[in-house]
Amino acid sequence: AVFTRTVADPSGGAKAVGKQGRNTFGLFVTRDRINNLLLPSNQSSDFASEPREITGTVARYRRDVGQRSTVGVLYTGREGGPYFNRVGGPDVQFRIGESEMITFQYLRSETQYSAGIAEQYAQPSSQFAGNAVRATYDHFARFWYWGAGYTDRDEGFRADSGFVPRVDLRQANGYVQRRFWGTGSGWFTTFDVAVQGNRATDHDGQLTDNGVTFTAQYQGPL
């Protein structure tokens, strides 16, 4: 949702970051001479650019909860003339014991393109909105790793301060990984084998991606 290279040709900006106790915050504001846009869909994306001055804002707040968990909120905004893109929502990272982690993020966007961009790239001519959800579960231990994730992005979701090239998406994935540890004097330090699967559809239920991947990774002397 945040990719700082979307700031293309700034005439100025300011940034503030800090931490006080369990509270962490970050804020930056820029004035950009160019409005670069990534226009996503399910199967392809377009890049557009217009010589329009825009003000970009990214604001982040996070609070530590317990020993290893956090709750936070994110806001990003880009404003210039008739154009705007505003994105905001909460997120949670929850640690269970030493090995389990659950993360969740919800974002909602509201967008209005200029008439020229909407006409040239077949985008909505009036204000539109969209939602995005991301949830993951991961287990990390000395010998075994496994996890699963789910992503859902509406067709109307836009994150112009970030890099989200694909929308109209429902995607689920999972993985299992086994790590073997060397003795310290053998031919390997660690050796990992893993299998990962994913399945993705659009919001009409049409299958767009489906696959299984096997991997192996070696680390050791030489």
Side-chain angles (χ1 to χ4, degrees), residues 9 76 81 101 176 205:
D9 188 16
T76 72
M101 177 182 291
V176 177

Side-chain angles (χ1 to χ4, degrees), residues 100-167:
E100 317 292 325
M101 177 182 291
I102 296 172
T103 65
F104 175 83
Q105 184 178 39
Y106 165 77
L107 294 172
R108 179 171 178 82
S109 70
E110 295 182 349
T111 307
Q112 169 75 66
Y113 290 128
S114 67
I117 292 293
E119 181 179 359
Q120 183 177 353
Y121 293 93
Q123 297 296 311
S125 58
S126 58
Q127 180 178 335
F128 62 99
N131 301 307
V133 173
R134 171 78 173 151
T136 64
Y137 160 76
D138 293 285
H139 169 89
F140 303 102
R142 180 169 173 81
F143 297 104
W144 287 99
Y145 304 77
W146 61 71
Y150 177 74
T151 298
D152 191 319
R153 301 189 196 115
D154 292 346
E155 185 177 4
F157 181 75
R158 299 290 187 271
D160 292 349
S161 296
F163 184 78
V164 180
R166 194 174 186 188
V167 295

Side-chain angles (χ1 to χ4, degrees), residues 176 192-197 211-217:
V176 177
D192 298 296
V193 291
V195 58
Q196 178 176 342
V212 178
T213 304
F214 297 91
T215 62
Q217 179 173 286

Side-chain angles (χ1 to χ4, degrees), residues 4 7 17 27-28 43-45 52 57 59 84 94 101 105 109 146 151-152 157 160 168 173 175 191 193 197 217 222:
T4 55
V7 181
V17 296
L27 171 71
F28 75 81
Q43 292 295 300
S44 63
S45 58
R52 178 184 303 280
T57 304
F84 65 82
F94 186 55
M101 177 182 291
Q105 184 178 39
S109 70
W146 61 71
T151 298
D152 191 319
F157 181 75
D160 292 349
D168 187 19
N173 66 279
Y175 70 93
F191 187 78
V193 291
Q217 179 173 286
L222 305 180

Side-chain angles (χ1 to χ4, degrees), residues 22 64-69:
R22 293 179 174 269
D64 299 337
V65 178
Q67 295 298 315
R68 300 184 178 183
S69 301

Side-chain angles (χ1 to χ4, degrees), residues 39-83:
L39 306 174
S41 68
N42 179 276
Q43 292 295 300
S44 63
S45 58
D46 287 319
F47 288 96
S49 185
E50 56 182 350
R52 178 184 303 280
E53 288 199 351
I54 59 170
T55 300
T57 304
V58 173
R60 170 70 169 153
Y61 169 76
R62 188 186 72 191
R63 180 170 175 83
D64 299 337
V65 178
Q67 295 298 315
R68 300 184 178 183
S69 301
T70 64
V71 296
V73 63
L74 174 71
Y75 171 80
T76 72
R78 287 158 66 92
E79 312 269 348
Y83 161 79

